[in-house]
Amino acid sequence: MRFQNLDLNLLVALDVLLEERNVSRAATRLHMSQSAMSGALGRLREFFGDELLVQVGRQMVPTPRAESLAHSVRDILLRIQSAVESKPSFDPASARRTFRIVTSDYVTEVLLADVVRRLQRVAPGISLELTAPGTAMGEALQRGELDFIITPDTHTQELHPKETLFEETYCCAVWTGNTRVGDTLSLEQYLELGHIGVTLSKQAPSAEQGFLARFGHERRIEVTVPSFCTVPHLLVGTNLVATMHSRLARLHARLLPLRILPLPIEFPPLVEMLQWSRYFEDDPGVRWMRELFQTCVAEQKSNPGT
């Protein structure tokens, strides 16, 4: 297809070239030869009257004109993709599709496990590809490389639609044999005890760490782990304490010798949000999955023991 003498297939090449900034890698991604990709870049340069990518040292760097085109080109391609791929209806019983979701191990365990079980019953052809949160997840959503992000409300992306999934509270968890903790926990005890802390990344400290710091409190962290679901296992056999999501703590207390205690300081609730790409707002499959998430959340509310 051509528009004003531009082969629109060249926009696909331009999009990948601007992302990879390397002719060979771009050619590999589009299953083209390097010479064919070089030819595509030449035609793009001729059409736009700009070099688009220039060699600086050992790297190719986009020109200001290319930088100004990048967002518009990606936007056009995603709108075309949405228009072509979207179907008027979605039959979960017969659909074959993979939904790509970024979320934490905490949400995976307390919610997505139920989602997977329900999918097995009502939509056996639907697969989930789960990925841990990272600094580039916003870019991936913008590029249409993700279907959903499930994340706290403080980490959502501005440009894309979202809705609340559930609110979560916090509690303390200790081993049942912890000799330093009784039936209650004072703030003084809480701060004196050794803690297990979760740090998902250096750029994103845990919610409780940030909250305590705002009020001038500092925990004594003895063990730091990169995942929420590791914490309860490390409590067993120790006198350590952990601040945990209440759902996760209750779940593990049914499996491990743990005691759950109220926090000695009131933490604000955590609000988990579901977010999806604005380009696929009207996709029937995306709408169906959103409803499935909310159905599983509603079932958990009706059975608060879960």
Side-chain angles (χ1 to χ4, degrees):
M1 180 178 178
R2 290 183 174 274
F3 179 74
Q4 296 183 352
N5 295 320
L6 174 68
D7 181 349
L8 293 187
N9 288 319
L10 288 175
L11 291 183
V12 178
L14 177 59
D15 179 57
V16 176
L17 280 165
L18 292 179
E19 182 180 2
E20 294 292 345
R21 303 185 181 190
N22 181 283
V23 172
S24 297
R25 289 198 300 268
T28 299
R29 274 186 54 179
L30 293 180
H31 306 288
M32 298 170 60
S33 67
Q34 185 170 339
S35 60
M37 181 57 74
S38 296
L41 178 57
R43 292 194 295 276
L44 285 163
R45 285 169 167 167
E46 181 179 356
F47 180 84
F48 287 106
D50 187 90
E51 285 297 296
L52 299 176
L53 288 166
V54 294
Q55 197 76 33
V56 177
R58 301 177 63 181
Q59 295 181 325
M60 296 193 79
V61 177
T63 65
R65 174 65 167 145
E67 293 279 14
S68 70
L69 287 169
H71 175 76
S72 297
V73 168
R74 168 55 29 177
D75 186 79
I76 289 167
L77 293 176
L78 283 173
R79 291 181 187 280
I80 293 172
Q81 179 185 343
S82 175
V84 170
E85 293 184 356
S86 291
K87 298 180 181 179
S89 62
F90 181 79
D91 177 19
S94 60
R96 299 281 175 181
R97 184 166 173 179
T98 297
F99 288 98
R100 298 152 299 178
I101 304 171
V102 165
T103 194
S104 66
D105 62 325
Y106 149 67
V107 172
T108 298
E109 188 150 341
V110 303
L111 177 61
L112 294 190
D114 285 351
V115 170
V116 169
R117 285 188 282 268
R118 180 172 283 270
L119 285 174
Q120 288 285 298
R121 297 195 303 270
V122 303
I126 299 298
S127 302
L128 302 183
E129 182 181 303
L130 307 180
T131 307
T135 56
M137 65 183 186
E139 295 176 15
L141 189 68
Q142 177 65 21
R143 293 186 62 81
E145 296 168 355
L146 292 175
D147 294 294
F148 297 103
I149 294 175
I150 303 176
T151 188
D153 56 350
T154 53
H155 293 81
T156 55
Q157 308 300 312
E158 292 184 4
L159 297 176
H160 300 280
K162 59 189 176 184
E163 61 190 14
T164 300
L165 268 182
F166 61 87
E167 288 192 3
E168 175 67 291
T169 60
Y170 291 92
C171 66
C172 285
V174 297
W175 175 47
T176 53
N178 189 321
T179 58
R180 299 187 61 188
V181 177
D183 295 330
T184 60
L185 193 63
S186 69
L187 179 58
E188 184 179 10
Q189 284 179 300
Y190 177 80
L191 297 176
E192 286 180 351
L193 287 168
H195 285 249
I196 300 177
V198 177
T199 301
L200 300 179
S201 71
K202 292 181 179 179
Q203 294 76 25
S206 62
E208 65 271 16
Q209 181 178 330
F211 178 76
L212 288 168
R214 288 206 306 271
F215 288 88
H217 300 307
E218 185 176 353
R219 297 175 298 170
R220 187 162 58 86
I221 302 292
E222 291 192 6
V223 180
T224 302
V225 295
S227 72
F228 297 106
C229 295
T230 305
V231 172
H233 298 276
L234 296 181
L235 287 172
V236 176
T238 76
N239 283 334
L240 297 170
V241 64
T243 304
M244 292 185 62
H245 304 97
S246 296
R247 281 175 173 82
L248 190 64
R250 290 196 300 268
L251 182 63
H252 281 272
R254 297 201 298 265
L255 307 171
L256 297 169
L258 298 177
R259 278 192 294 146
I260 299 174
L261 303 171
L263 278 164
I265 184 171
E266 186 176 353
F267 278 40
L270 169 72
V271 181
E272 287 286 351
M273 305 293 292
L274 177 67
Q275 189 159 43
W276 57 96
S277 173
R278 62 193 175 104
Y279 299 107
F280 301 99
E281 171 79 13
D282 298 322
D283 185 312
V286 169
R287 288 203 302 268
W288 185 85
M289 278 298 299
R290 286 168 51 198
E291 293 171 2
L292 182 71
F293 289 132
Q294 296 291 1
T295 296
C296 290
V297 169
E299 287 183 349
Q300 290 186 351
K301 285 183 180 178
S302 66
N303 184 11
T306 60

